[in-house]
């Protein structure tokens, strides 16, 4: 009985010591996303710049263990797309642009380091998760400037060729500057989809995001 008590006490002390170095952090950010898709090698789409820009916003909730490591989630809404809609045949020379809105739920691990009397924060993240397509728009334009651009909303339930769920990996680096009770952050993130956006063609989403956010440690 005494041995069990000692072991339990030791475990409690270890847990308490770990918790003393643990804390929560919460953040929010807006992102400008430079998007493109991975196509089959050698195709016309693969050899041209078909990137588009989109926006995104997200929040984060991280649990820190020790002073340099944290794990958590970063749910948000992000736009991904391409200037060449996969498998679409244009009625005339031009572009078929698609921008799709995704709700995403990545799980990330973070390494961070504070310096200069905790006024500067450096961090890096790696993780992955799932995204759900929820809307967006299509835009058909002609190389002839006299032909008007035709833009229409994207109703996901009516687009049977789109994979509604997407799995992806991500990695990012960033720096924060102390401001008030938290840090103003600049972050660059790379996203790498594991499955094709289209059910009928190679079209894996890729993006490079540039974010401005604010992070508070509790």
């Amino acid at each position: 009985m005494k041995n069990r008590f000692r072991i339990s006490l030791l475990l409690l002390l270890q847990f308490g010591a770990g918790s003393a170095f643990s804390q929560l952090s919460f953040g929010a950010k807006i992102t400008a996303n430079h998007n493109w898709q991975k196509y089959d090698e050698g195709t016309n789409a693969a050899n041209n710049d078909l990137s588009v820009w989109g926006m995104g916003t997200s929040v984060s909730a991280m649990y820190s263990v020790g002073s340099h490591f944290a794990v958590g989630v970063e749910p948000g809404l992000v736009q991904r797309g391409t200037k060449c809609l996969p498998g679409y045949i244009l009625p005339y020379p031009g572009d078929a642009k698609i921008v799709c809105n995704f709700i995403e739920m990545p799980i990330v691990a973070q390494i961070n380091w504070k310096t200069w009397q905790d006024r500067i924060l450096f961090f890096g993240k790696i993780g992955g998760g799932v995204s759900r397509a929820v809307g967006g728009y299509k835009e058909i334009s002609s190389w002839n400037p006299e032909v008007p651009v035709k833009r229409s909303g994207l109703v996901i339930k009516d687009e049977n060729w789109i994979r509604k769920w997407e799995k992806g990996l991500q990695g990012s680096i960033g720096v924060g500057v102390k401001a008030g009770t938290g840090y103003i952050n600049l972050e660059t993130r790379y996203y790498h989809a594991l499955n094709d956006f289209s059910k009928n063609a190679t079209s894996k989403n890729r993006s490079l995001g540039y974010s401005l956010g604010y992070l508070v440690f509790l």
Side-chain angles (χ1 to χ4, degrees):
M1 182 65 69
K2 289 183 178 180
N3 289 334
R4 290 182 181 178
F5 174 78
R6 291 172 181 172
I7 292 174
S8 299
L9 180 60
L10 179 60
L11 290 174
L12 286 172
L13 288 173
Q14 289 179 336
F15 177 80
S19 299
F21 293 100
S22 302
Q23 58 184 339
L24 293 174
S25 63
F26 296 94
K29 63 185 176 183
I30 56 173
T31 302
N33 241 19
H34 185 210
N35 305 282
W36 65 96
Q37 290 187 344
K38 170 65 176 177
Y39 301 106
D40 287 325
E41 293 295 335
T43 62
N44 184 60
N47 297 326
N48 287 279
D49 179 14
L50 302 174
S51 60
V52 298
W53 284 88
M55 297 299 296
T57 183
S58 63
V59 296
S60 65
M62 306 291 291
Y63 180 76
S64 300
V65 181
S67 56
H68 303 298
F69 181 74
V71 293
V73 294
E74 293 191 326
L77 178 66
V78 64
Q79 292 181 316
R80 303 185 187 117
T82 176
K83 197 181 292 182
C84 181
L85 196 154
Y88 189 83
I89 299 177
L90 290 168
Y92 43 73
D95 290 319
K97 176 181 176 181
I98 184 170
V99 174
C100 189
N101 302 327
F102 287 87
I103 294 176
E104 63 176 0
M105 176 58 79
I107 299 173
V108 299
Q110 174 178 294
I111 295 177
N112 55 74
W113 188 272
K114 296 178 182 178
T115 186
W116 197 30
Q117 298 180 339
D118 291 346
R119 296 176 185 174
I120 303 295
L121 171 70
F122 296 99
F123 60 90
K125 302 175 187 174
I126 189 169
V130 295
S131 305
R132 177 65 161 82
V134 294
Y137 66 89
K138 293 183 289 187
E139 193 174 273
I140 308 300
S141 60
S142 171
W143 294 346
N144 183 352
E146 297 182 0
V147 177
V149 175
K150 182 180 179 181
R151 180 167 174 168
S152 59
L154 191 65
V155 181
I156 298 299
K157 67 178 181 178
D158 297 334
E159 304 288 345
N160 295 323
W161 61 276
I162 292 178
R163 295 187 190 276
K164 310 303 187 292
W165 291 93
E166 183 172 284
K167 295 174 290 185
L169 303 175
Q170 67 177 58
S172 68
I173 56 173
V175 60
V177 178
K178 185 72 172 179
T181 58
Y183 293 83
I184 296 176
N185 297 329
L186 293 175
E187 182 178 354
T188 300
R189 185 186 82 156
Y190 174 69
Y191 173 81
H192 187 101
L194 298 177
N195 57 287
D196 292 314
F197 175 69
S198 169
K199 297 178 182 178
N200 308 315
T202 301
S203 51
K204 295 179 176 63
N205 280 315
R206 307 284 188 260
S207 66
L208 192 60
Y210 306 93
S211 302
L212 173 66
Y214 191 75
L215 178 68
V216 176
F217 289 88
L218 301 181

